[in-house]
Coordinates of all heavy atoms in Angstrom, one line a residue:
M1 N -8.2 14.5 80.8 CA -7.8 15.9 81.1 C -7.3 16.6 79.9 O -6.6 16.1 79.1 CB -6.7 15.8 82.2 CG -6.1 17.1 82.6 SD -4.7 17.0 83.7 CE -5.5 16.3 85.2
S2 N -7.8 17.8 79.7 CA -7.4 18.6 78.5 C -6.0 19.1 78.6 O -5.4 19.2 79.7 CB -8.4 19.8 78.3 OG -8.1 20.8 79.2
I3 N -5.4 19.5 77.5 CA -4.1 20.1 77.5 C -4.1 21.4 78.4 O -3.1 21.7 79.1 CB -3.6 20.4 76.1 CG1 -2.2 21.0 76.1 CG2 -4.5 21.4 75.4 CD1 -1.1 20.1 76.6
F4 N -5.2 22.1 78.4 CA -5.2 23.4 79.2 C -5.2 23.1 80.7 O -4.5 23.8 81.4 CB -6.4 24.3 78.7 CG -6.2 24.7 77.3 CD1 -7.0 24.2 76.3 CD2 -5.3 25.7 77.0 CE1 -6.9 24.6 75.0 CE2 -5.1 26.1 75.6 CZ -5.9 25.5 74.7
S5 N -5.8 22.0 81.1 CA -5.7 21.6 82.5 C -4.3 21.2 82.8 O -3.8 21.5 83.9 CB -6.7 20.4 82.7 OG -8.0 20.8 82.5
K6 N -3.7 20.5 81.9 CA -2.3 20.1 82.1 C -1.4 21.3 82.2 O -0.4 21.3 83.0 CB -1.8 19.1 81.0 CG -2.5 17.8 81.1 CD -2.0 16.9 79.9 CE -2.7 15.6 80.0 NZ -2.3 14.7 78.8
L7 N -1.6 22.3 81.4 CA -0.8 23.5 81.4 C -1.0 24.2 82.8 O 0.0 24.8 83.3 CB -1.2 24.4 80.3 CG -0.9 23.9 78.9 CD1 -1.3 24.9 77.8 CD2 0.6 23.6 78.7
R8 N -2.2 24.2 83.3 CA -2.4 24.9 84.6 C -1.7 24.1 85.7 O -1.1 24.7 86.6 CB -3.9 24.9 85.0 CG -4.8 25.7 84.1 CD -4.5 27.2 83.9 NE -3.5 27.6 83.1 CZ -3.4 27.8 81.8 NH1 -4.4 27.5 81.1 NH2 -2.3 28.2 81.2
E9 N -1.6 22.8 85.6 CA -0.8 22.0 86.5 C 0.7 22.3 86.5 O 1.3 22.4 87.5 CB -1.0 20.5 86.3 CG -2.4 19.9 86.8 CD -2.5 18.4 86.6 OE1 -1.5 17.8 86.1 OE2 -3.6 17.9 86.9
I10 N 1.2 22.5 85.3 CA 2.6 22.8 85.1 C 2.8 24.2 85.7 O 3.9 24.4 86.4 CB 2.9 22.9 83.6 CG1 2.9 21.5 83.0 CG2 4.3 23.6 83.3 CD1 4.0 20.6 83.4
E11 N 1.9 25.1 85.5 CA 2.1 26.5 86.1 C 2.2 26.4 87.6 O 3.0 27.0 88.3 CB 0.9 27.4 85.8 CG 1.0 27.9 84.3 CD -0.2 28.8 84.0 OE1 -1.3 28.6 84.5 OE2 0.0 29.8 83.2
S12 N 1.3 25.6 88.2 CA 1.3 25.4 89.7 C 2.5 24.7 90.2 O 3.1 25.1 91.2 CB 0.0 24.6 90.0 OG -0.1 24.5 91.4
K13 N 2.9 23.6 89.5 CA 4.0 22.8 89.9 C 5.3 23.6 89.9 O 6.1 23.5 90.8 CB 4.1 21.6 89.0 CG 5.3 20.7 89.3 CD 5.3 19.5 88.3 CE 6.5 18.6 88.6 NZ 6.6 17.5 87.7
Y14 N 5.6 24.4 88.8 CA 6.8 25.1 88.6 C 6.8 26.6 89.0 O 7.7 27.3 88.9 CB 7.3 25.0 87.2 CG 7.7 23.5 86.8 CD1 6.8 22.8 86.0 CD2 8.9 23.0 87.3 CE1 7.2 21.5 85.7 CE2 9.2 21.7 87.0 CZ 8.4 20.9 86.2 OH 8.7 19.6 85.8
K15 N 5.6 27.0 89.4 CA 5.4 28.5 89.8 C 5.8 29.4 88.7 O 6.6 30.3 88.8 CB 6.2 28.8 91.0 CG 6.0 27.9 92.2 CD 4.8 28.2 93.0 CE 4.7 27.5 94.3 NZ 4.1 26.2 94.2
I16 N 5.2 29.1 87.5 CA 5.5 29.9 86.3 C 4.2 30.4 85.7 O 3.1 29.9 86.1 CB 6.3 29.1 85.2 CG1 5.5 27.9 84.8 CG2 7.7 28.8 85.7 CD1 6.1 27.2 83.6
K17 N 4.3 31.2 84.7 CA 3.1 31.6 83.9 C 3.3 31.3 82.5 O 4.3 31.6 81.9 CB 2.9 33.2 84.1 CG 1.7 33.7 83.3 CD 0.4 33.1 83.8 CE -0.8 33.7 83.0 NZ -1.9 32.8 83.0
L18 N 2.3 30.5 81.9 CA 2.3 30.1 80.5 C 1.3 31.0 79.8 O 0.2 31.2 80.2 CB 1.9 28.7 80.3 CG 2.8 27.7 81.0 CD1 2.2 26.3 80.9 CD2 4.2 27.7 80.3
H19 N 1.8 31.6 78.7 CA 1.0 32.5 77.9 C 0.7 31.8 76.6 O 1.6 31.5 75.8 CB 1.7 33.8 77.6 CG 2.2 34.5 78.9 ND1 1.4 35.3 79.6 CD2 3.3 34.4 79.5 CE1 2.0 35.8 80.6 NE2 3.2 35.2 80.6
E20 N -0.6 31.4 76.3 CA -1.0 30.7 75.1 C -1.4 31.8 74.1 O -2.3 32.5 74.3 CB -2.1 29.7 75.3 CG -1.8 28.6 76.3 CD -2.4 28.9 77.7 OE1 -3.2 29.8 77.8 OE2 -1.9 28.3 78.6
S21 N -0.8 31.7 72.9 CA -1.2 32.7 71.8 C -2.5 32.2 71.2 O -2.9 31.0 71.4 CB -0.1 32.7 70.8 OG -0.1 31.5 70.0
E22 N -3.2 33.1 70.5 CA -4.4 32.7 69.9 C -4.2 31.6 68.8 O -5.0 30.7 68.7 CB -5.0 33.9 69.2 CG -5.9 34.8 70.1 CD -7.0 34.0 70.8 OE1 -7.8 33.3 70.2 OE2 -7.1 34.1 72.0
S23 N -3.1 31.6 68.1 CA -2.8 30.6 67.2 C -2.6 29.2 67.8 O -3.1 28.2 67.3 CB -1.6 30.9 66.3 OG -0.4 31.0 67.1
F24 N -2.0 29.2 69.0 CA -1.9 28.0 69.8 C -3.3 27.5 70.2 O -3.6 26.3 70.0 CB -1.0 28.2 71.0 CG -0.9 27.1 71.9 CD1 0.1 26.1 71.7 CD2 -1.7 26.9 73.0 CE1 0.3 25.0 72.5 CE2 -1.6 25.8 73.8 CZ -0.6 24.8 73.6
K25 N -4.1 28.3 70.8 CA -5.4 27.9 71.2 C -6.3 27.4 70.1 O -6.9 26.4 70.2 CB -6.1 29.1 71.9 CG -5.5 29.5 73.2 CD -6.3 30.7 73.7 CE -5.6 31.3 75.0 NZ -6.2 32.6 75.4
Q26 N -6.2 28.1 68.9 CA -7.0 27.7 67.8 C -6.5 26.4 67.2 O -7.3 25.5 66.8 CB -7.0 28.8 66.7 CG -7.7 30.0 67.0 CD -9.2 29.7 67.3 OE1 -9.8 29.0 66.6 NE2 -9.7 30.3 68.3
A27 N -5.2 26.1 67.2 CA -4.7 24.9 66.7 C -5.1 23.7 67.6 O -5.5 22.7 67.1 CB -3.2 24.9 66.5
V28 N -5.1 23.9 68.9 CA -5.6 22.9 69.8 C -7.1 22.7 69.6 O -7.5 21.5 69.5 CB -5.2 23.3 71.2 CG1 -5.9 22.3 72.2 CG2 -3.7 23.3 71.5
Y29 N -7.9 23.7 69.7 CA -9.3 23.6 69.6 C -9.8 22.9 68.2 O -10.7 22.2 68.2 CB -10.0 24.9 69.7 CG -10.1 25.4 71.1 CD1 -9.7 26.7 71.4 CD2 -10.5 24.7 72.2 CE1 -9.8 27.2 72.7 CE2 -10.6 25.1 73.5 CZ -10.2 26.4 73.7 OH -10.3 26.9 75.0
N30 N -9.1 23.3 67.2 CA -9.5 22.8 65.8 C -8.8 21.5 65.5 O -8.9 21.0 64.4 CB -9.1 23.8 64.8 CG -10.0 25.1 64.9 OD1 -11.1 25.0 65.4 ND2 -9.4 26.2 64.6
G31 N -8.0 20.9 66.4 CA -7.3 19.6 66.1 C -6.2 19.7 65.1 O -6.0 18.7 64.4
E32 N -5.6 20.9 64.9 CA -4.6 21.1 63.9 C -3.2 21.0 64.4 O -2.2 21.2 63.7 CB -4.8 22.4 63.2 CG -6.2 22.5 62.4 CD -6.5 23.8 61.9 OE1 -5.8 24.8 62.2 OE2 -7.5 23.9 61.2
M33 N -3.0 20.8 65.7 CA -1.7 20.8 66.4 C -1.1 19.4 66.1 O -1.7 18.4 66.4 CB -1.8 21.0 67.9 CG -0.5 21.0 68.6 SD 0.5 22.5 68.3 CE -0.5 23.7 69.1
T34 N 0.1 19.4 65.5 CA 0.7 18.1 65.2 C 1.4 17.5 66.5 O 1.5 16.3 66.5 CB 1.8 18.2 64.1 OG1 2.7 19.2 64.5 CG2 1.1 18.6 62.8
D35 N 1.7 18.3 67.4 CA 2.4 17.8 68.6 C 1.3 17.2 69.5 O 0.2 17.7 69.7 CB 3.0 19.0 69.4 CG 4.3 19.5 68.8 OD1 5.0 18.7 68.1 OD2 4.5 20.7 68.9
S36 N 1.7 16.1 70.2 CA 0.8 15.5 71.2 C 0.8 16.4 72.5 O 1.7 17.2 72.6 CB 1.2 14.1 71.5 OG 2.5 14.1 72.2
E37 N -0.1 16.2 73.3 CA -0.1 16.9 74.6 C 1.2 16.6 75.4 O 1.8 17.5 75.9 CB -1.3 16.5 75.4 CG -2.6 17.0 74.8 CD -3.9 16.6 75.6 OE1 -3.7 16.0 76.7 OE2 -5.0 16.9 75.2
D38 N 1.6 15.3 75.4 CA 2.8 15.0 76.1 C 4.0 15.7 75.5 O 5.0 16.1 76.2 CB 3.0 13.5 76.0 CG 2.1 12.7 76.9 OD1 1.5 13.3 77.9 OD2 1.8 11.5 76.7
C39 N 4.1 15.8 74.2 CA 5.2 16.5 73.5 C 5.2 18.0 73.9 O 6.3 18.5 74.2 CB 5.0 16.4 72.0 SG 6.4 17.1 71.1
I40 N 4.1 18.6 74.0 CA 4.0 20.0 74.4 C 4.5 20.2 75.8 O 5.4 21.0 76.1 CB 2.6 20.6 74.3 CG1 2.2 20.6 72.8 CG2 2.5 22.0 74.9 CD1 0.7 20.9 72.6
I41 N 4.1 19.3 76.7 CA 4.6 19.3 78.1 C 6.1 19.1 78.2 O 6.8 19.8 78.9 CB 3.8 18.3 79.0 CG1 2.3 18.5 79.0 CG2 4.4 18.2 80.4 CD1 1.9 19.9 79.5
D42 N 6.6 18.1 77.4 CA 8.0 17.9 77.3 C 8.8 19.1 76.9 O 9.9 19.4 77.4 CB 8.3 16.7 76.4 CG 7.9 15.3 76.9 OD1 7.6 15.3 78.1 OD2 7.9 14.4 76.1
K43 N 8.3 19.8 75.9 CA 9.0 21.1 75.4 C 9.0 22.1 76.6 O 10.1 22.7 76.7 CB 8.2 21.7 74.2 CG 8.4 20.9 73.0 CD 7.7 21.5 71.8 CE 7.9 20.6 70.5 NZ 7.3 21.2 69.4
I44 N 8.0 22.2 77.3 CA 8.0 23.2 78.4 C 9.0 22.8 79.5 O 9.8 23.6 80.0 CB 6.6 23.3 79.0 CG1 5.6 23.9 78.0 CG2 6.6 24.1 80.3 CD1 4.1 23.8 78.4
E45 N 9.0 21.5 79.8 CA 9.9 21.0 80.9 C 11.3 21.1 80.4 O 12.2 21.3 81.2 CB 9.5 19.6 81.3 CG 8.2 19.6 82.1 CD 7.7 18.3 82.6 OE1 8.1 17.2 81.9 OE2 7.0 18.2 83.6
L46 N 11.6 20.9 79.1 CA 12.9 21.1 78.6 C 13.4 22.5 78.7 O 14.6 22.8 79.1 CB 13.0 20.6 77.1 CG 14.3 20.7 76.4 CD1 15.3 19.8 77.1 CD2 14.2 20.4 75.0
I47 N 12.5 23.5 78.4 CA 12.9 24.9 78.6 C 13.2 25.1 80.1 O 14.2 25.8 80.4 CB 11.7 25.8 78.2 CG1 11.7 25.9 76.7 CG2 11.9 27.2 78.8 CD1 10.6 26.7 76.1
L48 N 12.4 24.6 81.0 CA 12.6 24.8 82.4 C 13.9 24.2 82.9 O 14.5 24.7 83.8 CB 11.4 24.3 83.2 CG 10.1 25.1 83.0 CD1 8.9 24.4 83.6 CD2 10.3 26.6 83.5
K49 N 14.3 23.1 82.3 CA 15.6 22.4 82.6 C 16.7 23.3 82.2 O 17.7 23.5 82.9 CB 15.7 21.1 81.9 CG 16.9 20.3 82.2 CD 17.0 19.0 81.5 CE 18.3 18.3 81.7 NZ 18.4 17.1 80.9
H50 N 16.6 23.9 81.0 CA 17.7 24.8 80.5 C 17.7 26.2 81.1 O 18.7 26.9 81.1 CB 17.7 24.8 79.0 CG 18.1 23.5 78.4 ND1 19.4 23.1 78.4 CD2 17.4 22.5 77.8 CE1 19.5 21.9 77.8 NE2 18.3 21.5 77.4
Y51 N 16.5 26.7 81.4 CA 16.3 28.0 81.9 C 15.5 27.9 83.2 O 14.4 28.3 83.3 CB 15.6 28.9 80.9 CG 16.3 29.0 79.6 CD1 16.0 28.2 78.5 CD2 17.4 29.9 79.4 CE1 16.7 28.3 77.3 CE2 18.1 30.0 78.2 CZ 17.7 29.2 77.2 OH 18.4 29.3 76.0
P52 N 16.1 27.4 84.3 CA 15.4 27.2 85.5 C 14.8 28.4 86.2 O 13.9 28.3 87.0 CB 16.4 26.5 86.4 CG 17.8 26.9 85.9 CD 17.5 27.1 84.4
D53 N 15.3 29.6 85.9 CA 14.8 30.8 86.5 C 13.7 31.4 85.7 O 13.2 32.5 86.0 CB 15.9 31.8 86.7 CG 17.0 31.4 87.7 OD1 16.6 30.6 88.6 OD2 18.2 31.7 87.5
S54 N 13.2 30.8 84.7 CA 12.1 31.3 83.8 C 10.9 31.4 84.6 O 10.5 30.6 85.4 CB 11.9 30.3 82.7 OG 13.0 30.2 81.9
Q55 N 10.2 32.5 84.4 CA 8.9 32.8 85.1 C 7.8 32.9 84.1 O 6.6 32.6 84.5 CB 9.0 34.1 85.9 CG 10.0 34.0 87.1 CD 9.5 33.0 88.1 OE1 8.4 33.0 88.5 NE2 10.4 32.1 88.4
D56 N 8.1 33.3 82.9 CA 7.0 33.4 81.8 C 7.5 32.7 80.6 O 8.6 32.9 80.1 CB 6.9 34.9 81.5 CG 6.2 35.7 82.6 OD1 5.0 35.5 82.8 OD2 6.9 36.4 83.3
I57 N 6.6 31.9 80.0 CA 6.9 31.2 78.8 C 5.7 31.4 77.9 O 4.5 31.2 78.3 CB 7.1 29.7 79.1 CG1 8.3 29.5 80.0 CG2 7.2 28.9 77.8 CD1 8.5 28.1 80.4
S58 N 6.0 31.7 76.6 CA 4.9 31.9 75.6 C 4.8 30.7 74.7 O 5.8 30.1 74.3 CB 5.3 33.1 74.8 OG 4.4 33.3 73.7
L59 N 3.6 30.2 74.5 CA 3.4 29.1 73.7 C 2.7 29.6 72.4 O 1.7 30.3 72.5 CB 2.5 28.0 74.4 CG 3.0 27.5 75.7 CD1 1.9 26.6 76.3 CD2 4.3 26.7 75.4
S60 N 3.2 29.2 71.3 CA 2.6 29.6 70.0 C 2.8 28.5 69.0 O 3.1 27.4 69.4 CB 3.3 30.9 69.5 OG 2.6 31.5 68.5
T61 N 2.4 28.7 67.8 CA 2.5 27.7 66.7 C 3.4 28.2 65.6 O 3.7 29.3 65.4 CB 1.1 27.3 66.2 OG1 0.6 28.5 65.6 CG2 0.3 26.8 67.3
Y62 N 3.8 27.2 64.8 CA 4.7 27.5 63.7 C 4.3 26.4 62.6 O 4.1 25.2 62.9 CB 6.1 27.4 64.1 CG 7.1 27.7 62.9 CD1 7.3 29.0 62.6 CD2 7.7 26.7 62.2 CE1 8.2 29.3 61.5 CE2 8.6 27.0 61.2 CZ 8.8 28.3 60.9 OH 9.7 28.7 59.9
Q63 N 4.2 26.8 61.4 CA 4.1 25.9 60.3 C 5.4 25.6 59.7 O 6.2 26.6 59.4 CB 3.1 26.4 59.2 CG 1.7 26.5 59.8 CD 0.7 27.1 58.8 OE1 1.0 28.0 58.0 NE2 -0.5 26.5 58.7
S64 N 5.7 24.4 59.3 CA 7.0 24.0 58.8 C 7.3 24.7 57.5 O 8.5 25.0 57.2 CB 7.2 22.5 58.8 OG 6.2 22.0 58.0
D65 N 6.3 24.8 56.7 CA 6.5 25.5 55.4 C 5.1 26.0 54.9 O 4.1 25.7 55.4 CB 7.2 24.6 54.4 CG 6.4 23.4 54.0 OD1 5.2 23.4 53.9 OD2 7.0 22.3 53.8
E66 N 5.1 26.8 53.8 CA 3.9 27.4 53.3 C 2.9 26.4 52.7 O 1.8 26.6 52.5 CB 4.3 28.4 52.2 CG 5.0 29.6 52.8 CD 5.6 30.5 51.8 OE1 5.4 30.2 50.6 OE2 6.2 31.5 52.1
T67 N 3.4 25.2 52.4 CA 2.5 24.2 51.8 C 1.9 23.3 52.8 O 1.0 22.5 52.5 CB 3.3 23.3 50.8 OG1 4.3 22.6 51.5 CG2 4.0 24.1 49.7
S68 N 2.2 23.4 54.1 CA 1.7 22.6 55.1 C 0.6 23.4 56.0 O 0.9 24.5 56.4 CB 2.8 22.1 56.0 OG 2.3 21.4 57.1
D69 N -0.5 22.7 56.2 CA -1.5 23.3 57.1 C -1.3 22.9 58.5 O -1.9 23.4 59.4 CB -2.9 22.9 56.7 CG -3.3 23.6 55.4 OD1 -2.8 24.6 55.1 OD2 -4.2 23.0 54.7
D70 N -0.4 21.9 58.7 CA -0.1 21.4 60.1 C 0.8 22.4 60.9 O 1.8 22.9 60.3 CB 0.5 20.0 60.0 CG -0.4 19.0 59.4 OD1 -1.6 19.1 59.5 OD2 0.1 18.0 58.8
E71 N 0.4 22.6 62.1 CA 1.2 23.5 63.0 C 1.7 22.7 64.1 O 1.1 21.7 64.6 CB 0.2 24.6 63.5 CG -0.3 25.4 62.4 CD -1.3 26.5 62.9 OE1 -2.4 26.2 63.3 OE2 -0.8 27.7 63.0
F72 N 2.9 23.1 64.6 CA 3.5 22.5 65.7 C 3.7 23.6 66.8 O 3.8 24.8 66.4 CB 4.7 21.7 65.4 CG 5.9 22.4 64.8 CD1 6.8 23.0 65.6 CD2 6.0 22.5 63.4 CE1 7.9 23.7 65.1 CE2 7.0 23.2 62.9 CZ 8.0 23.8 63.7
C73 N 3.9 23.2 68.0 CA 4.0 24.1 69.1 C 5.5 24.5 69.2 O 6.4 23.7 69.0 CB 3.6 23.4 70.4 SG 3.9 24.4 71.9
Y74 N 5.7 25.8 69.5 CA 7.0 26.2 70.0 C 6.8 27.1 71.2 O 5.8 27.7 71.4 CB 7.8 26.9 68.9 CG 7.4 28.3 68.5 CD1 8.0 29.4 69.2 CD2 6.5 28.5 67.5 CE1 7.6 30.7 68.8 CE2 6.2 29.8 67.1 CZ 6.7 30.9 67.8 OH 6.4 32.1 67.4
A75 N 7.8 27.0 72.1 CA 7.7 27.7 73.3 C 8.9 28.7 73.4 O 10.0 28.4 73.0 CB 7.8 26.8 74.5
V76 N 8.7 29.9 73.9 CA 9.7 30.9 74.0 C 9.7 31.4 75.4 O 8.7 31.7 76.0 CB 9.4 32.1 73.1 CG1 10.4 33.2 73.2 CG2 9.3 31.6 71.6
V77 N 10.9 31.6 76.0 CA 11.1 32.2 77.3 C 10.9 33.7 77.2 O 11.6 34.3 76.3 CB 12.4 31.8 77.9 CG1 12.6 32.6 79.3 CG2 12.6 30.3 78.1
L78 N 10.1 34.3 77.9 CA 9.9 35.7 77.9 C 10.8 36.4 78.9 O 11.0 35.9 80.0 CB 8.4 36.1 78.2 CG 7.4 35.5 77.3 CD1 6.0 35.8 77.8 CD2 7.6 36.1 75.9
P79 N 11.4 37.6 78.5 CA 12.3 38.3 79.4 C 11.6 38.8 80.6 O 10.4 39.0 80.6 CB 12.9 39.4 78.6 CG 12.0 39.5 77.4 CD 11.2 38.2 77.3

C-alpha cells in the first residue's frame, strides 16, 4: 500500500483533510523523503492527539540545511 493510500485511510478514519504540497509529493515520488511512511503517519497522529479538533493538515517538506539534499516531512495544522 502506498503512502498516499495510507493518507486517504487517515482522512477517512479521523474525518480530516490532508493537503500534500508539491514538494512533499515530489520527495515521495523521487524517493528523497528521509521519513518512513510509518513516521509520516505517526507525525499526523501526534498532531491529532495534541489538536483533536483539527480538520485540515498540510504536509510539506523541509531540508535540515543547505548542504543536504534529504528532505523530511513536516505537518502543519491549518486554521
Side-chain angles (χ1 to χ4, degrees):
M1 178 183 294
S2 77
I3 183 63
F4 296 106
S5 296
K6 291 179 182 179
L7 295 177
R8 298 299 77 81
E9 284 184 1
I10 292 287
E11 286 180 324
S12 179
K13 179 179 178 180
Y14 293 104
K15 308 279 190 275
I16 60 169
K17 178 64 181 154
L18 297 172
H19 305 272
E20 300 99 13
S21 71
E22 276 306 309
S23 64
F24 177 86
K25 291 177 188 174
Q26 290 301 316
V28 170
Y29 284 131
N30 295 326
E32 296 172 351
M33 182 72 70
T34 58
D35 290 327
S36 69
E37 292 179 3
D38 289 338
C39 182
I40 293 169
I41 300 302
D42 288 346
K43 287 180 181 184
I44 294 167
E45 290 180 334
L46 181 63
I47 284 178
L48 293 169
K49 179 180 177 184
H50 289 286
Y51 301 96
D53 295 331
S54 299
Q55 294 297 307
D56 292 286
I57 297 173
S58 175
L59 302 173
S60 194
T61 59
Y62 184 77
Q63 291 178 322
S64 58
D65 61 38
E66 295 170 359
T67 62
S68 172
D69 290 334
D70 295 331
E71 298 179 283
F72 60 90
C73 173
Y74 74 91
V76 177
V77 176
L78 299 174

